[in-house]
């Protein structure tokens, strides 16, 4: 049975696109057929993070408006053969997405894929609502920072009220993905702790992604961090999160990169 | 302030947590579930007003969201003496 997952947050810049790419790739690594869908019309970036920016021919809006077939718009990942990307339009107006059109595309995707991972635009406007509309499960990406937590709370309220599932009176499954977490700073009382955020938002925890250089390195080269640096701390956290989505029970931990001390950094850089 | 405070960074996270808890408690009532709350309040008031005379502001509806359940708190203040409406 296929599952539609929306990656959402309200606030921009917290790691929705990075998380969509990383989780999508991790699910595909487990053998699932996965489509990652960019809903950020006008500001598409999932293609860039996935390294497929030069292969975009047709996009979501072309498919919604019947100008291209779904199969023509889907871009197959060069590294994982069960991973596909449906890019957003860069030039068209976001109003070109219609609720009925999106519903039709989602139904078509459900026929060919196990997982449809929707990368929501920031904000709480129409684009974000369309991205979450047909979801079976939501991943709420949150930074341990006041404005991100507040916006996540708002998005959780919308997931419970404005999705098709909620309107049918069904329970909307929601998971918290805490990104850019720095365990040492949290321990020193300088950053909200995991438990603080969980207590405030009251949704189950899917994973804790530690702040790491590997994430920027991955987007620099256009490859999901779970593929390009599978041993890095964030990749291990994303891989565990993907397995939890598939129903595996894995103990929650905060992976850490190998620490390079001050002297190591000083001399490591000179050596490099 | 001693010289040691200089080396000990301030613990700002507890402040962040407290501010968020207070803010969100308020926002969840006023904005988060506003549609539902407004509808419920309207209809509850309507039912009560059918039987007793009651000013609109005497019906308070609040929602508290928790992990497993959400609770709806309805507070209805009936002015004394209670003035029943004649059965319609």
């Amino acid at each position: 049975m296929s599952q539609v997952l929306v990656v959402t947050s309200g606030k921009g810049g917290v790691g929705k696109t990075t998380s969509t790419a990383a989780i999508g790739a991790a699910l595909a690594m487990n053998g699932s057929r996965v489509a990652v869908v960019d809903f950020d019309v006008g500001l598409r970036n999932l293609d860039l993070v996935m390294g497929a920016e030069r292969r975009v021919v047709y996009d979501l809006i072309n498919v919604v408006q019947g100008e291209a077939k779904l199969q023509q718009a889907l871009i197959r990942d060069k590294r994982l053969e069960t991973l596909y990307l449906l890019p957003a339009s860069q030039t068209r107006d976001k109003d070109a997405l219609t609720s009925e059109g999106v519903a039709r595309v989602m139904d078509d995707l459900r026929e060919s894929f196990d997982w449809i991972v929707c990368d929501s635009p920031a904000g709480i406007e129409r684009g974000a609502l369309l991205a979450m509309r047909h979801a079976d499960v939501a991943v709420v990406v949150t930074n341990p920072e006041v404005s991100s937590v507040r916006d996540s709370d708002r998005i959780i309220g919308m997931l419970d009220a404005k999705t098709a599932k909620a309107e049918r009176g069904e329970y909307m499954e929601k998971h918290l993905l805490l990104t850019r977490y720095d365990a040492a700073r949290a321990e020193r009382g300088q950053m909200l702790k995991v438990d603080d955020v969980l207590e405030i938002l009251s949704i189950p925890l899917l994973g804790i992604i530690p702040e790491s250089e590997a994430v920027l390195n991955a987007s620099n080269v256009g490859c999901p961090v779970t593929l390009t640096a599978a041993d890095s701390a964030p990749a291990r956290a994303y891989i565990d999160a993907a397995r939890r989505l598939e129903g595996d029970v894995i103990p929650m931990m905060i992976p850490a990169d190998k620490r390079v001390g001050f002297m190591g950094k000083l001399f490591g850089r000179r050596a490099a | 302030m001693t010289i040691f405070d200089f080396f000990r960074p301030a613990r700002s996270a507890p402040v962040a947590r407290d501010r968020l808890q207070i803010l969100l408690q308020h926002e969840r009532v006023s904005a988060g579930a506003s549609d539902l709350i407004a509808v419920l309040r309207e209809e509850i008031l309507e039912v009560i007003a059918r039987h007793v005379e009651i000013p609109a502001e005497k019906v308070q509806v609040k929602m508290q969201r928790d992990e497993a359940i959400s609770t709806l708190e309805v507070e209805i203040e009936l002015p004394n003496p209670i003035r029943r409406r004649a059965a319609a």
Side-chain angles (χ1 to χ4, degrees):
Chain A
M1 209 193 83
S2 66
Q3 293 256 63
V4 176
L5 183 157
V6 63
V7 179
T8 186
S9 69
K11 190 176 183 317
V14 296
K16 282 183 298 296
T17 303
T18 299
S19 298
T20 301
I23 290 174
L27 289 166
M29 283 156 76
N30 296 346
S32 294
R33 289 178 57 83
V34 179
V36 290
V37 184
D38 192 347
F39 272 83
D40 205 347
V41 174
L43 290 170
R44 75 167 178 226
N45 273 321
L46 189 55
D47 55 335
L48 198 53
V49 171
M50 300 277 295
E53 69 275 13
R54 290 192 297 175
R55 297 167 65 206
V56 175
V57 183
Y58 294 110
D59 56 54
L60 177 61
I61 287 187
N62 294 135
V63 180
V64 164
Q65 301 210 322
E67 296 154 356
K69 289 203 166 70
L70 181 58
Q71 275 66 27
Q72 292 176 293
L74 284 167
I75 303 168
R76 186 183 185 165
D77 189 84
K78 284 191 167 162
R79 299 146 299 212
L80 285 172
E81 57 179 33
T82 57
L83 180 61
Y84 288 77
L85 162 71
L86 182 55
S89 172
Q90 185 69 322
T91 51
R92 302 283 282 273
D93 193 75
K94 63 182 185 303
D95 293 333
L97 277 186
T98 61
S99 180
E100 303 74 35
V102 171
R104 210 178 54 241
V105 173
M106 288 293 134
D107 282 343
D108 288 351
L109 285 167
R110 278 179 193 273
E111 286 183 14
S112 327
F113 293 96
D114 303 311
W115 286 97
I116 298 119
V117 185
C118 304
D119 183 18
S120 173
I124 52 170
E125 309 294 321
R126 192 180 144 79
L129 288 175
L130 281 172
M132 69 168 68
R133 178 85 200 149
H134 304 281
D136 302 306
V137 47
V139 168
V140 180
V141 182
T142 307
N143 289 169
E145 180 270 324
V146 287
S147 57
S148 174
V149 175
R150 180 197 212 173
D151 292 0
S152 292
D153 190 76
R154 190 81 191 278
I155 278 290
I156 290 168
M158 297 180 82
L159 286 164
D160 284 334
K162 311 242 166 167
T163 52
K165 223 177 168 184
E167 284 176 6
R168 290 195 300 267
E170 294 169 32
Y171 175 70
M172 184 73 200
E173 198 184 318
K174 301 169 291 289
H175 300 276
L176 178 72
L177 190 67
L178 196 58
T179 52
R180 308 201 70 165
Y181 191 69
D182 185 330
R185 294 188 70 191
E187 205 44 57
R188 288 199 299 269
Q190 296 173 321
M191 180 183 269
L192 288 167
K193 288 187 180 180
V194 178
D195 288 342
D196 293 336
V197 182
L198 283 176
E199 191 193 331
I200 292 166
L201 294 179
S202 300
I203 60 172
L205 182 62
L206 182 70
I208 304 157
I209 314 298
E211 173 83 67
S212 166
E213 292 171 6
V215 171
L216 182 57
N217 286 340
S219 78
N220 283 346
V221 298
C223 182
V225 69
T226 39
L227 284 180
T228 191
D231 287 335
S232 67
R236 283 182 282 145
Y238 276 123
I239 289 167
D240 281 356
R243 285 182 56 194
R244 289 187 192 104
L245 284 172
E246 291 188 301
D248 291 359
V249 179
I250 305 166
M252 188 65 66
M253 50 183 247
I254 310 168
D257 280 322
K258 285 191 194 94
R259 285 248 166 241
V260 183
F262 173 71
M263 296 304 272
K265 264 187 192 159
L266 206 65
F267 296 108
R269 188 164 297 173
R270 192 177 291 173
Chain B
M1 177 155 174
T2 70
I3 186 79
F4 296 109
D5 289 338
F6 184 75
F7 295 104
R8 197 181 336 152
R11 294 175 59 87
S12 54
V15 181
R17 187 193 54 216
D18 294 348
R19 288 176 62 218
L20 272 170
Q21 271 167 342
I22 293 164
L23 173 74
L24 293 180
Q25 217 163 33
H26 175 77
E27 283 190 343
R28 280 169 194 162
V29 175
S30 60
S34 62
D35 293 355
L36 176 64
I37 300 285
V39 171
L40 285 173
R41 193 177 166 282
E42 214 47 45
E43 294 193 7
I44 290 167
L45 181 65
E46 194 186 305
V47 170
I48 296 165
R50 229 182 277 160
H51 301 282
V52 291
E53 284 177 22
I54 183 169
E57 70 274 11
K58 297 294 182 194
V59 175
Q60 298 286 340
V61 180
K62 289 177 188 166
M63 188 177 269
Q64 179 75 38
R65 201 178 67 202
D66 278 310
E67 194 156 358
I69 51 158
S70 295
T71 52
L72 191 68
E73 185 187 323
V74 183
E75 192 183 320
I76 304 160
E77 216 177 286
L78 290 178
N80 275 331
I82 294 171
R83 293 160 63 109
R84 288 202 62 157
R85 282 190 200 279

